[in-house]
Amino acid sequence: RGFPSINPTPSLIPPLPPVITEPAAWRGQDIQNHPAWVHRFDADALAEIDAALGHAKRQGASIPFGPDLFPLTGVARILNGVLEELERGRGFKLLRGIPRARYSDADCELIYWGIGVHIGKPVSQNARGHLLGHVRDEGRTHADPNARGYQTNQRMDFHTDLLPVDVLGLFCLRTARRGGASKLTSALTVHNALRAERPELLAALYGTFHIDWRGEEPEGELPLFSLPMFSACDGKVSARINSLPYYDSAARHGGQYAPTPLQREALEAVQAIANRPELMLTMDFQEGDIQLITNHTMLHAREA
């Protein structure tokens, strides 16, 4: 499944980080059926979550609110362990067991928010200022340069989300009628594959790329932003891979912002590697599931 072998002049390739061996550099086939990445809430945890919901409703809580209105003790300790797994382990976790059918949509929003504020500080990553957003088909398509992928029902290729997000969360209210499976691939494993197979493409990914805000730039900012797709600091590699349409539509702001042929080849190589069956992991959501992933080392995608 490798790419054609090319032997570029070594001097043209800057020094690259060594092979990454940390736990987040996993292969999907090795962990697809491993139970460790699923945490199933037990009866005590579910009772505590239910009690916290009751407290929040009695206090008239409305989003946004702080952790004091959703008091958790045992579950908070569980979430501390989850955060440790996100930051220093495999980089993702699935929380399962919340009895979705017992709760209204509004209750689920409160539960999801209440759990979230025990993990970190919610931030918005869209122009609407949503701290809690809904992923639903708005009848839009990737061809619309001002559409975000989560507003469509189309397949989404492997990507990280827009800054300043550290941890991504997704609560499954309803499963898709068909399709919609969530897929993860470790960006660090992709980095290792490129290092071994196409180091010149990996080096290119450490260069500057231009990404379209697609109509959601912060007030006063340019309609696109520029940054490398991989970077390394203090021995840690992080990724900023975006969906392919975000690079292509950057050219509407000037031809100089289009990816170069080498950059385009590198981006397509990332997608080809990330989609290798032995590397990616597939999650079939159940209603009430909460998926948490680190946005710095995990790439996520979705089937149509």
Side-chain angles (χ1 to χ4, degrees):
R1 301 178 192 276
F3 292 90
S5 176
I6 295 178
N7 295 310
T9 304
S11 61
L12 297 180
I13 299 178
L16 296 170
V19 174
I20 303 167
T21 59
E22 62 190 79
W26 46 261
R27 292 164 52 90
Q29 68 178 10
D30 298 332
I31 63 172
Q32 176 69 62
N33 299 314
H34 200 290
W37 54 264
V38 180
H39 177 85
R40 183 175 290 276
F41 289 124
D42 61 20
D44 289 342
L46 294 177
E48 185 175 279
I49 291 170
D50 191 70
L53 172 64
H55 177 80
K57 293 171 74 171
R58 287 191 299 273
Q59 297 299 314
S62 60
I63 296 171
F65 59 82
D68 55 312
L69 288 182
F70 203 88
L72 299 174
T73 52
V75 173
R77 288 191 292 271
I78 292 171
L79 296 176
N80 285 338
V82 169
L83 189 57
E84 181 73 14
E85 178 69 11
L86 295 178
E87 294 185 333
R88 297 178 180 83
R90 293 191 180 98
F92 70 98
K93 199 79 170 182
L94 186 71
L95 307 180
R96 176 161 284 171
I98 293 175
R100 164 69 179 100
R102 182 189 302 173
Y103 300 114
S104 67
D105 287 1
D107 287 344
C108 288
E109 290 184 12
L110 294 174
I111 290 171
Y112 182 40
W113 180 273
I115 288 174
V117 292
H118 282 274
I119 294 174
K121 178 184 178 181
V123 296
S124 175
Q125 58 162 327
N126 66 29
R128 303 172 186 180
H130 293 161
L131 294 174
L132 182 71
H134 288 271
V135 178
R136 59 166 60 99
D137 178 17
E138 298 181 12
R140 307 178 77 175
T141 70
H142 294 314
D144 177 354
N146 290 321
R148 297 279 295 276
Y150 68 85
Q151 298 165 338
T152 78
N153 66 0
Q154 295 178 293
R155 179 187 179 276
M156 297 172 66
D157 53 24
F158 279 98
H159 63 283
T160 62
D161 272 18
L162 300 180
L163 294 171
V165 178
D166 295 316
V167 173
L168 296 174
L170 189 67
F171 184 108
C172 180
L173 284 176
R174 275 172 284 280
T175 55
R177 291 193 182 114
R178 62 182 182 275
S182 175
K183 298 180 180 297
L184 298 180
T185 297
S186 167
L188 304 183
T189 300
V190 173
H191 189 283
N192 283 343
L194 284 168
R195 188 183 188 279
E197 300 171 23
R198 297 294 301 272
E200 80 286 3
L201 296 185
L202 179 57
L205 290 164
Y206 275 85
T208 300
F209 287 69
H210 307 293
I211 300 97
D212 192 359
W213 276 111
R214 294 175 76 87
E216 297 210 318
E217 63 270 16
E219 185 176 355
E221 294 291 328
L222 296 174
L224 75 164
F225 59 98
S226 305
L227 77 175
M229 297 297 96
F230 280 114
S231 58
C233 181
D234 297 332
K236 298 285 287 185
V237 171
S238 59
R240 291 260 54 86
I241 306 297
N242 283 262
S243 296
L244 291 175
Y246 284 69
Y247 305 95
D248 295 334
S249 63
R252 66 183 174 139
H253 306 297
Q256 70 271 30
Y257 299 121
T260 67
L262 180 64
Q263 288 180 324
R264 182 71 191 188
E265 185 180 6
L267 293 170
E268 290 176 350
V270 167
Q271 294 300 323
I273 293 171
N275 276 285
R276 291 178 182 175
E278 69 272 20
L279 299 189
M280 66 180 174
L281 179 146
T282 300
M283 289 187 184
D284 290 314
F285 286 131
Q286 298 177 14
E287 294 183 357
D289 282 354
I290 296 177
Q291 180 195 63
L292 297 169
I293 65 175
T294 177
N295 196 39
H296 301 299
T297 58
M298 298 294 108
L299 303 177
H300 62 284
R302 183 194 71 192
E303 292 179 354

